[in-house]
Amino acid sequence: EHPASRSLVFCCSISHADFVRAWLRQQGVRVAAVYSGVNSDDRDQSVRDLANGNLDALCAVDVFNEGIDLPFVDTLLLLRPTSSATVFLQQLGRGLRLDEGKPTCLVLDFIGQHRREFRFDGLLTAMTGIPRGRLQKAVEDDFPSLPPGCHVHLDRVARDRVLAGLRESIG
């Protein structure tokens, strides 16, 4: 039987991944960390363990952005800042693959606006397909025009910050 969730945690550096792995283990989470370095857990074995339920989470540093299909991943933790809509969408894509028995993918973005000059319009347009000129209304109305089964939820603080950023960048 598989665990309630199988998570992919995107970290920004090897030391960050080691820290997150150690912290999650202290919380009782079965977790591995994969990156190019001597303290990395074995990549292939870690993926198999996550797939078969022997791991709950896998911390990654620059190894799962593209070129791998992990359809069983149902939770993404974004702990790595990026200004690149492409990198963000690649990371998001790791959880959006269809898999039997996986009705949703939970994406927890712990970074969000890591710099004041961050442009939400580029990211949201790339993610939703909504043109820049209609983004503010879409955020205000909780993204009503997304395809069936798709939902973007922003808590109150995040929503206010996104709207402020859109007003500043779009005008």
Side-chain angles (χ1 to χ4, degrees):
E1 182 176 319
H2 294 296
S5 69
R6 289 175 279 180
S7 304
L8 191 54
V9 183
F10 289 101
C11 299
C12 59
S13 68
I14 290 171
S15 61
H16 185 225
D18 288 341
F19 173 84
V20 172
R21 174 179 55 189
W23 188 87
L24 287 172
R25 284 181 177 167
Q26 287 176 341
Q27 311 314 306
V29 176
R30 300 170 302 162
V31 60
V34 177
Y35 46 78
S36 61
V38 295
N39 293 325
S40 175
D41 294 304
D42 181 83
R43 176 181 171 159
D44 293 335
Q45 185 61 50
S46 296
V47 168
R48 282 192 300 273
D49 286 345
L50 187 64
N52 66 28
N54 290 328
L55 284 177
D56 304 313
L58 186 55
C59 298
V61 181
D62 295 332
V63 292
F64 294 134
N65 289 350
E66 59 183 324
I68 188 167
D69 192 25
L70 307 170
F72 50 84
V73 168
D74 60 11
T75 304
L76 300 173
L77 286 85
L78 307 180
L79 305 181
R80 175 190 185 276
T82 182
S83 295
S84 168
T86 300
V87 170
F88 178 83
L89 290 175
Q90 288 171 335
Q91 292 175 350
L92 188 62
R94 299 294 69 82
L96 296 182
R97 303 293 193 266
L98 298 176
D99 197 31
E100 189 174 327
K102 178 178 121 178
T104 63
C105 178
L106 175 64
V107 180
L108 301 171
D109 185 353
F110 289 94
I111 300 301
Q113 185 180 5
H114 66 284
R115 293 192 326 257
R116 177 157 171 71
E117 68 274 12
F118 183 80
R119 297 282 307 254
F120 287 106
D121 56 325
L123 176 67
L124 290 172
T125 293
M127 187 172 76
T128 65
I130 298 170
R132 287 181 69 223
R134 296 195 348 234
L135 281 174
Q136 185 174 337
K137 179 101 171 94
V139 172
E140 289 169 348
D141 295 342
D142 294 323
F143 300 94
S145 64
L146 294 178
C150 294
H151 178 73
V152 174
H153 173 76
L154 301 172
D155 68 28
R156 183 186 53 79
V157 172
R159 183 177 177 272
D160 291 347
R161 288 184 180 166
V162 167
L163 285 170
L166 289 173
R167 287 183 194 111
E168 186 174 310
S169 63
I170 295 175

